[in-house]
Amino acid sequence: MSKNFVSSSRLQIPTYIAGFHDDGMVSKMRYNTLGDTGLQVSVLSFGASSLGNVYRLTDEGESIQVVHEALKRGINYIDTAPWYGHGKSETVLGKALKDIPRDSYYIATKVCRYQPEVEKQFDFSAQRTIQSVDESLQRLGLPYVDFIQVHDMEFAPSLDIVINETLPALQKVKESGKARFIGITGYPLENFRTVIDRSSVKIDTVLTYCHGSMNDNSLSDFIPYFKSKGVGIVNASPISMGLLSDRGPPAWHPAHQHIKDVCAAAATFCSANGVDISRLAMDFTLSQPDYDTTLVSTASLKNLYKNIESVYCPLTDKEKTIQQQVLERYMKPLKNRHWEGVEVEQYRKELAAVQ
């Protein structure tokens, strides 16, 4: 069987529950096998950062409804973290999942990133890591999570701490039955290779963001390596944290100004041609054959339906033409330019100022 499961078998995925799921919508969703985990995950997954008011103030009632609708329509992978709203994302998720069959989804959370104060933001110690898992489970109202991940490991004082302390602590969490699989997350891609090669703890998944999109698809260069290690690939932010949208990125976006200018020009070009650049961006990412799942976050029902529609509603001929022009004219000249190191440097400066 091919990696991407055919329509006739979609109602046989292990997370399908008759009477709970919308059969028509589940039959339209696509599913991939996540690395060597054996889990079949939806090509589009739900990022719960929005539930923590990360991007805007949200309505808790609508947030809960968004989670319910996402799962009923075939999304079966949820990603959250203590950092998102400093516990709020997990708390709202816990309320939403209370009425959802546990076998209908896989859930991932994280450790190591916590509070907004710079001196309290990161803690990669074993003790705090184990404590954090228990706190997350309490907020989520669950006895276990499917995936426990190191959050943004590039901010650790050294990757040695991640390898020698954080990951062994997560192995203990796994052995205790509080998590099934272990993952690592971050923005710099080369760090994944370093940690996977040196870790005595098996890494099941990687999660990175803004590297699997139209303006930067450098994640694709690492596919052969991840495949050789049996590591599942969780891609996030197909619109590059707002770069590939009509609204544009938030003020805090770390991209260099040249990247912002090029993406803004591309968005203007699309708008002038009556095309939504974010729809082109979603199609580009979801068309990549080797990204097991792509996280998209929203606390809006309208945006959720739009995101799910992108899985099964192909681009029109006009949209395909504009997409190709955007790639050739704007994106390829960027040559996968990124902003690795920008945020870490700023964090280290702020940390030094308070120590």
Side-chain angles (χ1 to χ4, degrees):
M1 180 181 287
S2 65
K3 177 186 172 184
N4 198 262
F5 291 85
V6 295
S7 177
S8 61
S9 67
R10 288 171 191 163
L11 299 186
Q12 279 76 52
I13 62 168
T15 52
Y16 171 74
I17 296 178
F20 169 73
H21 281 104
D22 181 325
D23 291 6
M25 295 303 299
V26 174
S27 68
K28 294 179 181 180
M29 184 59 69
R30 305 197 307 270
Y31 297 88
N32 294 323
T33 302
L34 184 58
D36 283 350
T37 67
L39 304 185
Q40 298 168 30
V41 296
S42 48
V43 68
L44 184 72
S45 45
F46 182 73
S49 58
S50 290
L51 306 188
N53 293 340
V54 171
Y55 302 105
R56 64 177 177 86
L57 289 177
T58 56
D59 176 81
E60 186 172 293
E62 183 176 18
S63 293
I64 290 171
Q65 194 176 358
V66 165
V67 175
H68 290 179
E69 285 295 303
L71 295 176
K72 288 178 180 179
R73 290 169 179 252
I75 290 175
N76 70 352
Y77 187 95
I78 303 169
D79 178 86
T80 186
W83 170 246
Y84 303 146
H86 318 301
K88 182 175 176 61
S89 172
E90 290 180 324
T91 300
V92 174
L93 261 182
K95 294 178 181 180
L97 296 174
K98 182 175 58 176
D99 302 318
I100 300 294
R102 181 62 181 92
D103 292 342
S104 67
Y105 62 88
Y106 305 119
I107 187 165
T109 192
K110 307 182 187 78
V111 294
C112 298
R113 192 167 192 174
Y114 304 108
Q115 297 301 319
E117 297 85 1
V118 66
E119 70 275 16
K120 299 178 182 178
Q121 196 167 142
F122 290 96
D123 189 337
F124 292 84
S125 69
Q127 181 180 357
R128 185 67 184 97
T129 292
I130 291 172
Q131 178 187 346
S132 176
V133 173
D134 289 335
E135 292 168 353
S136 289
L137 292 177
Q138 184 174 15
R139 285 190 288 261
L140 291 166
L142 297 173
Y144 73 94
V145 290
D146 297 284
F147 297 86
I148 191 68
Q149 307 161 105
V150 180
H151 201 167
D152 291 340
M153 57 186 181
E154 64 268 28
F155 289 91
S158 165
L159 290 179
D160 291 342
I161 295 174
V162 173
I163 295 164
N164 299 322
E165 188 165 351
T166 316
L167 287 170
L170 292 186
Q171 181 64 28
K172 291 180 180 179
V173 169
K174 178 180 176 180
E175 291 168 357
S176 74
K178 294 177 182 178
R180 298 172 62 195
F181 301 100
I182 294 172
I184 51 178
T185 81
Y187 183 62
L189 293 171
E190 194 58 46
N191 281 354
F192 292 114
R193 194 195 311 267
T194 299
V195 173
I196 291 170
D197 283 348
R198 292 179 53 199
S199 175
S200 61
V201 174
K202 176 173 170 48
I203 306 299
D204 299 296
T205 60
V206 296
L207 186 165
T208 192
Y209 58 96
C210 299
H211 282 309
S213 50
M214 287 201 300
N215 60 292
D216 176 2
N217 198 29
S218 52
L219 176 57
S220 62
D221 297 335
F222 286 74
I223 296 297
Y225 172 76
F226 292 139
K227 281 183 173 291
S228 74
K229 300 294 184 178
V231 174
I233 301 167
V234 181
N235 176 47
S237 198
I239 63 169
S240 287
M241 300 191 303
L243 284 174
L244 304 176
S245 69
D246 289 331
R247 185 173 57 183
W252 51 260
H253 200 292
H256 301 286
Q257 191 60 46
H258 176 64
I259 299 174
K260 293 179 180 179
D261 291 344
V262 169
C263 290
T268 299
F269 172 75
C270 289
S271 181
N273 283 276
V275 171
D276 180 358
I277 191 171
S278 63
R279 179 165 155 76
L280 305 188
M282 285 287 290
D283 174 82
F284 175 87
T285 297
L286 294 178
S287 297
Q288 302 301 309
D290 295 307
Y291 299 163
D292 298 328
T293 189
T294 291
L295 287 168
V296 179
S297 185
T298 183
S300 156
L301 277 170
K302 178 182 177 182
N303 287 340
L304 173 70
Y305 296 147
K306 179 181 174 182
N307 292 339
I308 293 176
E309 185 181 69
S310 66
V311 174
Y312 61 83
C313 186
L315 297 183
T316 64
D317 289 342
K318 178 182 178 181
E319 286 174 323
K320 290 178 182 177
T321 298
I322 298 299
Q323 183 189 58
Q324 193 58 40
Q325 290 175 344
V326 166
L327 288 169
E328 293 293 333
R329 186 180 303 180
Y330 299 97
M331 302 305 161
K332 286 188 178 179
L334 283 176
K335 298 180 179 179
N336 289 336
R337 189 173 177 187
H338 55 74
W339 52 89
E340 288 183 11
V342 172
E343 292 171 291
V344 174
E345 181 182 1
Q346 181 62 31
Y347 165 72
R348 303 239 190 272
K349 285 181 180 178
E350 293 177 4
L351 187 61
V354 299
Q355 288 181 335

